[in-house]
């Protein structure tokens, strides 16, 4: 046992705070874009909200849950590509929101 904390022990609170902050900010953005959709019936806003959810929240939650229940081999061969695919669908949704007409 050391008198001084390790770098990992020092970084853990920052990593948790960063994770929580990124989820909260993502939810604020999604909420505002969904409000814009509901208020104006704007389909681009709906696809923008969907894209933000698919880029930020879903892959993070999938990875976090999977890291607790699957092995590193399964995570690397299945979950990581799945998370990346979800992000690509999210980016596609955002690009679609930029070019779709009401």
């Amino acid at each position: 046992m050391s008198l001084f904390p390790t770098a990992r022990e020092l970084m853990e609170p920052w990593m948790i705070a960063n994770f929580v902050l990124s989820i909260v900010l993502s939810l604020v953005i999604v909420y505002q874009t969904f409000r814009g959709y509901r208020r104006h019936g704007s389909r681009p806003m709906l696809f923008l909200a969907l894209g933000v959810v698919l880029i930020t929240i879903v892959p993070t939650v999938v990875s976090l849950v999977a890291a607790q229940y699957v092995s590193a081999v399964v995570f690397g061969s299945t979950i990581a590509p799945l998370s990346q695919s979800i992000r690509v669908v999210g980016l596609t949704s955002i690009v679609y929101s930029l070019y779709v007409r009401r």
Side-chain angles (χ1 to χ4, degrees):
M1 192 159 139
S2 173
L3 287 175
F4 301 105
T6 64
R8 181 178 171 91
E9 291 170 341
L10 288 174
M11 288 303 295
E12 193 168 304
W14 289 105
M15 291 169 40
I16 292 169
N18 189 22
F19 170 77
V20 170
L21 183 61
S22 67
I23 294 295
V24 168
L25 290 174
S26 298
L27 288 172
V28 168
I29 293 168
V30 169
Y31 174 73
Q32 290 299 329
T33 55
F34 189 71
R35 270 185 58 206
Y37 164 71
R38 294 279 306 249
R39 183 177 299 156
H40 303 291
S42 172
R43 283 191 65 198
M45 292 297 276
L46 178 63
F47 282 100
L48 180 61
L50 176 65
V52 171
V53 167
L54 291 175
I55 286 175
T56 58
I57 299 170
V58 174
T60 304
V61 171
V62 167
S63 295
L64 185 67
V65 170
Q68 300 298 317
Y69 297 108
V70 300
S71 68
V73 173
V74 172
F75 188 87
S77 64
T78 305
I79 304 301
L82 174 66
S83 292
Q84 189 61 33
S85 298
I86 292 169
R87 284 186 181 96
V88 169
V89 171
L91 287 171
T92 303
S93 178
I94 291 173
V95 169
Y96 181 75
S97 77
L98 296 173
Y99 292 103
V100 70
R101 301 285 180 228
R102 293 181 125 212

